[in-house]
């Protein structure tokens, strides 16, 4: 069958959701191409505030990893923008000169932040809060400046302000109205919210019109229309968004506020569809995620030839995601002549509830301080239920499980991702799901804010009955019901040796996913390193390519420099290679190595061969680097040979596979110049001894390492490090950093296990066995013709 060419402009949540649904319905019908202006795989934009607030990382909000595109044979062009659409020839052109034809085209260009046309809005330090780049720039500003001003007291502005507070900035929020979130909350709830946020350190300047952003080149403050002023080093505009319709407009596709679509997301141009924030349906351009996902599902059915009633519009609800403040609203917010209200206000506990009734039916709700009724009220609003129904349910002693059981199949459980009760129940029954995590992996429910986890749990309980365990185990992923420990026990007991065998014998429900395949690959190699053959296709792209992919599609090359020490000869080789292959940048890393950035994939093997140096494994789930200070050789304060110990450790453990990346450091004295206190394994030399610290993390989730043991003898130290690493390898979950592992097991438990001399020797025997089969990955790759052909010569993306 000849496949249709489906091109998606925009790699955001709405467009990719449509593609996901297409792949579910008919994966063989389309040859799919996606263009994304941002250089990242598909991520959850509504979780950006959590990244800014420090609660999570960019990788944690990624919805589909690079492997998802490869696994589904999607041609993905990150960092490449479509610049024009030719609806006559049915093709699109990009800023990199590419022309791509289509049979069906989806425009999902999202929206742009609205920037107030104020004098001074073009100064340095004036930002929007819309994408990862904005987020990263705000984090960088917080390191250099202290005062921030956020213009806009709506949802986005408050989330940005909370994030800037977490980054240590003083924050003023300027709002044109006299209370916050006036589009989602009534005056009472808005004022309650203000009080709560003021307790968190936010300062509000209400009923103010900003007239000018002051400063010469860089912003220095704001001036208001009444002549008053405030100081600011950073100004964040969060005053709304507008649909990004420029591309459609230039192509002659009818546009109003957004790209005009009908109930099937069709534009007026044949074979051209629009979905998400850029689309306008029945006069409304939606900016919340649930409607966008609903549109994506409808569009997928339309593309696959399934006719239904189409998209009928959405009732909106809002949940504020600022830590410590529970706010919910849906439907009608403010009462008028046609409405009556059911209202409760507990001033002491800070709980406010208002339900609006129109002609006896529930028309809207505002909740503050206690939002557990949010989903229930949202469904009552959509169903136009009578107020008595809600009041009876509130006074009833029936359990929450029964409440979920009474919901109809088309009612939403997860508003963030548009997942209905019916689809979850169907997934539970069809796939034998038994845990909330499995439902999350299979249906996307609770994948975003997580507010519906209790509802998902209730739904599991009423679907599975007595089979549902409240203290449920955590399966590896949605492809199986087995936990990590159960899978490892089965591998050992049955002598399983490769991924496909594990999936067949343990009755995997799918062909595996990007979560379970890399994990199984690691577990199999850890259990029997001598017999196991590495399955490269099960590794993440960086590990498979032995180089880190960059946002422009090029790679970085990091040769190993043991202990951070190099030679003039190696420096010359690096310089010659950099010149010959015109690398984009030569960067000294924080791990005391040299990073060659901007290398084309096809040049990787040639550079490795000409460097003739071991791989620095800067991409690996394994030992990355051992950072050292100059120590007793040159430092006046050094008490130990930190460089010698660092080189010894790096040479011993290089190439070792671990559940996640491992970084080490050796400092020669308590001044700790090598930053040993924030490494997975940090060594600090003191007079006549070595101190061994573990579980440190200098990344997003900063954690200070804990002192584990102290040694007089260097051999004893190295032996204990081997035991510690092997215990971590054997008992950690895949992708669990030592910091999380130490917290989960407890330092005292780890200390107790490693206090057993026999155990230490056994751990060392097993880690030495694993190290005995380690090969340098660059050397292996350049001498393997099949690898060279498959990975570095054939263009797959």
């Amino acid at each position: 069958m000849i496949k249709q060419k489906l091109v998606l402009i925009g790699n955001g949540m709405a467009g990719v959701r449509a593609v996901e649904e297409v792949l579910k319905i008919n994966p063989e019908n389309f040859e799919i191409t996606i263009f994304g202006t941002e250089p990242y795989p598909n991520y959850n934009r509504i979780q950006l505030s959590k990244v800014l607030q420090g609660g999570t990382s960019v990788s944690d909000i990624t919805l589909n990893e690079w492997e998802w595109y490869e696994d589904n044979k999607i041609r993905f062009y990150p960092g490449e923008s479509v610049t024009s659409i030719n609806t006559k020839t049915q093709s699109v052109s990009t800023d990199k000169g590419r022309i791509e034809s289509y049979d069906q085209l989806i425009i999902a260009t999202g929206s742009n932040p609205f920037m107030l046309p104020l004098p001074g809005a073009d100064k340095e330090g004036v930002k929007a809060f819309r994408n990862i780049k904005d987020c990263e720039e705000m984090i960088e500003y917080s390191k250099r400046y202290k005062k921030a001003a956020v213009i806009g007291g709506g949802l986005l502005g408050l989330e940005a302000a909370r994030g800037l507070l977490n980054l240590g900035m003083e924050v003023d929020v300027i709002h044109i109205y006299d209370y916050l979130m006036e589009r989602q909350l009534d005056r009472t709830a808005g004022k309650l919210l203000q009080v709560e946020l003021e307790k968190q350190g936010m300062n509000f300047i209400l009923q103010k019109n900003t007239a000018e952003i002051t400063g010469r080149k860089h912003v220095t403050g704001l001036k208001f229309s009444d002549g008053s002023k405030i100081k600011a080093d950073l100004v964040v505009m969060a005053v709304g968004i507008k649909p990004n319709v420029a591309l459609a407009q230039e192509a002659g596709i009818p546009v109003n506020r957004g790209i005009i679509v009908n109930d099937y997301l069709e534009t007026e141009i044949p074979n051209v569809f629009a979905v998400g924030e850029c689309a306008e349906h029945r006069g409304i351009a939606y900016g919340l995620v649930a409607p966008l996902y609903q549109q994506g599902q409808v569009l997928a059915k339309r593309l696959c030839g399934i006719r239904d009633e189409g998209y009928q519009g959405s009732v909106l609800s809002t949940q504020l995601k600022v830590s410590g403040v529970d706010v919910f609203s849906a439907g009608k917010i403010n009462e008028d002549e046609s409405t009556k209200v059911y209202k409760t206000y507990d001033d002491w506990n800070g709980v406010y509830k208002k339900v609006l009734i129109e002609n006896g039916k529930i028309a809207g709700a505002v909740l503050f301080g206690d939002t557990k009724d949010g989903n229930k009220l949202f469904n009552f609003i959509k169903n136009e239920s009578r107020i008595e129904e809600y009041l009876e349910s509130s006074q009833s002693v029936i359990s929450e499980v029964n409440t979920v059981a009474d919901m109809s199949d088309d009612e939403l459980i997860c508003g963030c991702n548009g997942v209905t009760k019916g689809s979850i129940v169907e997934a539970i029954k069809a796939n034998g799901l038994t845990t909330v995590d499995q439902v999350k992996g299979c249906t996307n429910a609770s994948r975003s804010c997580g507010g519906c986890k209790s509802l998902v749990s209730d739904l599991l309980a009423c679907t599975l009955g007595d089979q549902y365990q409240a203290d449920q185990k955590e399966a590896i992923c949605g492809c199986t019901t087995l936990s990590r420990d159960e899978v490892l026990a089965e591998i050992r007991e049955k002598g399983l040796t490769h991924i496909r065998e594990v999936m067949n014998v343990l009755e995997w429900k799918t062909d595996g996913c990007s979560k379970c395949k890399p994990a199984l690959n690691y577990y199999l190699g850890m259990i029997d390193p001598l017999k196991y053959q590495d399955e490269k296709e099960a590794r993440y792209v960086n590990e498979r390519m032995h180089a880190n992919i960059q946002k422009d599609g090029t790679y970085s090359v990091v040769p190993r420099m043991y202990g951070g020490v190099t030679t003039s000869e190696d420096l010359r080789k690096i310089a010659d290679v950099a010149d010959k292959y015109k690398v984009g940048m030569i960067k000294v890393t924080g791990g005391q190595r040299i990073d060659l950035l901007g290398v084309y994939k096809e040049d990787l093997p040639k550079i490795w061969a000409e460097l003739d140096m071991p791989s620095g494994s800067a991409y690996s789930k394994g030992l990355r680097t051992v950072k050292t200070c100059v120590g007793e050789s040159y430092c006046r304060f050094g008490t130990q040979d930190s460089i010698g110990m660092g080189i010894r450790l790096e040479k011993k453990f290089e190439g070792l596979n671990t559940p996640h990346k491992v970084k080490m450091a050796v400092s020669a004295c308590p001044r700790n110049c090598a930053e040993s206190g924030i490494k997975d394994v940090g060594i600090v030399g003191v007079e006549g001894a070595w101190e061994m610290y573990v579980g440190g993390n200098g990344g997003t989730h900063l954690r200070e390492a804990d002192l584990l043991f102290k040694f007089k003898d260097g051999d004893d130290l190295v032996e204990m490090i081997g035991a510690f690493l092997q215990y971590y390898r054997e008992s950690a979950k895949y992708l669990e950093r030592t910091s999380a592992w130490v917290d989960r097991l407890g330092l005292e438990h780890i200390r107790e296990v490693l206090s057993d001399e026999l155990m230490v020797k056994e751990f060392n025997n097993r880690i030495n066995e694993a190290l005995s089969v380690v090969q340098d990955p660059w050397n292996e790759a350049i001498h393997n013709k099949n690898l060279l052909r498959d990975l570095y010569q054939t263009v797959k993306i």
Side-chain angles (χ1 to χ4, degrees), residues 158 181 185 189-197 320 325 327 368:
L158 297 179
M181 290 182 64
L185 302 180
K191 289 293 181 185
L192 284 168
L193 177 61
Q194 180 182 340
V195 171
E196 285 298 317
L197 295 177
L320 186 61
V325 184
V327 179
F368 183 91

Side-chain angles (χ1 to χ4, degrees), residues 12 33 186 471 487 549 653 667:
T33 301
D186 64 1
D471 54 343
V487 170
I549 192 168
F653 297 113
S667 299

